[in-house]
Amino acid sequence: MPRKVRDLVNVGYRYYHPEEQLLNADEVYFQMRTSLTTCEMILVRALDCNLEIELPFACCLNVLRAMGAVSFYKDTKKQAHHLQKDVWKQMEQNMPHEFNVIARLAWLFLWDSLASPRIVLTHKTHEIALGSLYLALRMTGANLDMSMTEWVDQWGAAENVSVQSVRDVIQSLMELHDDGVQYVADHKKDAELLNRSSSSDSAIDPHSPTSPQE
């Protein structure tokens, strides 16, 4: 959403000088205004004027929904022979709570990845999406009847996603914290909490990441 330069300068000045009055249109204000617009110009040039940013959330959820045709937990083995469109329709109406838990945990990993310049500046959107989803699948104990290489080839081939790039995303997520083992333990606790909360509510929350509107 566009903001007035004056508003941005005032907010920035108040943040660093909370006890002082708002800036008047004086020399200090115009210095800050010039500095802000110059930084904006440098940033836009660095982005090559490409301000259309594709986030990994939709890709991650689309792959998870498509996996409705894959029997990776016991309750879905009977559904593995259904047509893809039938499974997709069922998931749109009422996503099983196992999928709901995986989606929510993957959502947490996606937000973690966006907080890491190492991940967002060196990996493609689909690499981040698949890395976060695969980590969520493993952390929730999903029973994938295929190797990591086969899984990435199945869901990432169209976007030329390599297994190594997905591994790198996962490794970078683990290294976001000083103790990678503790990072995994913390998110396993998240998975357990999500599992309990999701099992008590079978309907899709319209504001949750699993909502069909995303």
Side-chain angles (χ1 to χ4, degrees):
M1 179 181 296
R3 300 292 183 184
K4 294 181 180 180
V5 176
R6 171 81 190 194
D7 294 339
L8 296 176
V9 171
N10 283 334
V11 170
Y13 187 81
R14 176 56 65 90
Y15 178 82
Y16 288 104
H17 307 281
E19 304 300 328
E20 298 186 16
Q21 299 294 325
L22 292 177
L23 277 173
N24 294 319
D26 54 13
E27 183 178 356
V28 176
Y29 166 76
F30 284 105
Q31 286 178 347
M32 294 185 66
R33 177 190 175 105
T34 300
S35 177
L36 178 63
T37 54
T38 300
C39 290
E40 182 182 28
M41 186 181 302
I42 293 173
L43 179 60
V44 172
R45 286 180 177 177
L47 295 174
D48 197 23
C49 297
N50 181 14
L51 304 181
E52 294 293 330
I53 300 175
E54 182 183 7
L55 297 175
F57 298 100
C59 173
C60 177
L61 292 181
N62 285 338
V63 171
L64 179 58
R65 284 166 176 161
M67 287 183 68
V70 179
S71 55
F72 65 92
Y73 64 94
K74 293 181 180 179
D75 293 340
T76 58
K77 287 186 176 180
K78 296 179 180 180
Q79 302 175 4
H81 302 292
H82 289 186
L83 294 176
Q84 175 87 12
K85 63 180 181 180
D86 294 333
V87 178
W88 183 285
K89 182 177 180 180
Q90 177 195 358
M91 292 178 67
E92 289 293 298
Q93 294 175 346
N94 188 8
M95 181 177 285
H97 108 268
E98 289 89 346
F99 279 88
N100 198 295
V101 171
I102 294 170
R104 291 173 182 271
L105 188 57
W107 210 254
L108 295 178
F109 291 140
L110 290 172
W111 279 117
D112 285 347
S113 69
L114 295 180
S116 169
R118 177 179 176 182
I119 297 178
V120 296
L121 296 180
T122 59
H123 293 283
K124 300 177 182 177
T125 300
H126 288 78
E127 294 172 352
I128 297 173
L130 291 181
S132 299
L133 178 55
Y134 189 82
L135 186 57
L137 288 167
R138 285 309 185 193
M139 197 159 292
T140 54
N143 182 23
L144 291 170
D145 295 328
M146 60 181 69
S147 66
M148 181 179 183
T149 300
E150 293 171 333
W151 186 83
V152 174
D153 287 343
Q154 180 172 2
W155 302 109
E159 299 294 335
N160 294 321
V161 176
S162 67
V163 179
Q164 187 58 50
S165 64
V166 174
R167 267 201 202 96
D168 290 342
V169 170
I170 295 174
Q171 184 64 33
S172 296
L173 281 169
M174 302 281 287
E175 293 174 355
L176 281 178
H177 296 253
D178 294 333
D179 188 349
V181 176
Q182 186 60 44
Y183 177 78
V184 172
D186 290 342
H187 280 298
K188 279 188 175 180
K189 294 177 182 177
D190 293 335
E192 293 172 359
L193 291 173
L194 290 172
N195 188 33
R196 289 197 294 268
S197 64
S198 296
S199 60
S200 62
D201 183 7
S202 60
I204 297 178
D205 182 352
H207 300 293
S208 75
T210 57
S211 172
Q213 282 76 22
E214 290 291 343

